[in-house]
Amino acid sequence: MTAPVTFILGMHNSGTSLLARLAALLGLELGPEVLTRDSFETKPAYDYWEHAGIVALQDEALSVLNRHWSTQQSHLPILPEAWDRPELARIAGALGAILDRELAASTGRPWGFKDPRTVRLLPLWQRVLAERGVGARYLISLRDPAIVTASFADKGQVSPADAEALWRRSYLEALAFSAGSPRLVVDYDAWLDRPEIQAAALAGFLGQPQAADDALSAVRAAIDPALRRTRAGQLRLAPFTVAVAECLRAMTGGHEPAGRIAALLDRAASADRRTAA
């Protein structure tokens, strides 16, 4: 039986690269097409651990939907009928071909991928998986939204308000579309505050509890404690953003506050209806 595909989700700049690296250390196959520093002529500060083919297709899909991460429209809702566009059917076919190739190459070992673009395209991926009878599980990387918003606004050349709205949309959709499947929220700041507990939770989720010490060693080698000073406490976040972040933090370790999650999703749906009206 094919193992479920592992989706590593999270907003840009939220620690997904570290999470992908740790997941690979714990036995998750990422395939041979991952983007590292050596993939670029001008080397970035760290390895991205993203699947090159998937990144290209997902960038194209977001552009087709007019929701590319670098635009003011990035955080707007995507209407259900948009997923039936012929251009997206072609992209879904190409993503499915990558999935088939990677699952065949993994020879039964769990395979997954990381790309911050994925979270907005989960309905497309769920169609691809359903056609193949393949399940999914989700790792959701959380980081202080104030830090992420400030960093992404600078990197993506969008306003802080748009960056914050994309952060909020990304995590609300992660919660909505991963419901009912195995999922684990991994808090970037917890690698500084309680790394042993989080390493054990991640290793257990990936079915490798005996490898928790290896993950912990990798975290200690990768994270600079000085990162504590990067918290963007000066940025004033919307109360809804804060509520989403607090709910996600409550989910670390595998907790599922169902009522709290449902209330947030209802609030988001109501806001979208008001905007549409």
Side-chain angles (χ1 to χ4, degrees), residues 1-227:
M1 183 176 179
T2 303
V5 172
T6 302
F7 289 80
I8 300 174
L9 306 177
M11 172 68 173
H12 301 262
N13 297 38
S14 65
T16 53
S17 295
L18 175 64
L19 184 52
R21 175 184 173 186
L22 295 174
L25 179 67
L26 292 167
L28 184 68
E29 292 289 332
L30 299 178
E33 297 184 45
V34 293
L35 296 169
T36 64
R37 279 169 285 192
D38 293 335
S39 305
F40 301 89
E41 185 174 341
T42 302
K43 291 180 170 44
Y46 53 88
D47 296 319
Y48 290 166
W49 300 110
E50 296 171 357
H51 190 290
I54 291 175
V55 166
L57 288 166
Q58 297 201 140
D59 251 344
E60 182 183 359
L62 290 172
S63 293
V64 166
L65 291 163
N66 194 27
R67 297 293 183 269
H68 195 267
W69 53 268
S70 63
T71 68
Q72 292 180 330
Q73 294 79 29
S74 65
H75 56 84
L76 297 179
I78 299 172
L79 299 178
E81 55 267 27
W83 302 110
D84 295 323
R85 295 178 61 169
E87 308 99 303
L88 291 182
R90 174 183 55 79
I91 292 170
L95 290 172
I98 289 175
L99 178 62
D100 293 339
R101 183 172 71 246
E102 293 290 354
L103 291 180
S106 68
T107 60
R109 296 187 301 274
W111 176 83
F113 70 98
K114 165 256 173 175
D115 181 10
R117 300 160 185 81
T118 305
V119 69
R120 299 239 58 197
L121 299 170
L122 285 175
L124 193 66
W125 272 105
Q126 290 176 343
R127 291 185 179 190
V128 171
L129 295 182
E131 289 171 358
R132 290 159 175 78
V134 176
R137 61 181 178 177
Y138 300 91
L139 286 169
I140 301 172
S141 183
L142 172 68
R143 193 179 185 188
D144 182 341
I147 293 175
V148 175
T149 293
S151 176
F152 185 71
D154 180 59
K155 173 184 174 182
Q157 298 182 330
V158 297
S159 71
D162 287 330
E164 180 182 348
L166 180 57
W167 185 96
R168 191 168 56 244
R169 175 73 64 182
S170 296
Y171 287 98
L172 287 166
E173 291 188 345
L175 288 173
F177 293 124
S178 66
S181 297
R183 62 186 178 187
L184 179 71
V185 176
V186 179
D187 186 350
Y188 185 88
D189 290 326
W191 292 123
L192 294 167
D193 299 328
R194 48 187 185 281
E196 297 87 356
I197 295 173
Q198 188 147 272
L202 178 60
F205 182 82
L206 293 173
Q208 300 290 332
Q210 75 285 352
D213 288 344
D214 293 336
L216 188 58
S217 296
V219 168
R220 286 174 170 154
I223 290 192
D224 181 355
L227 289 172

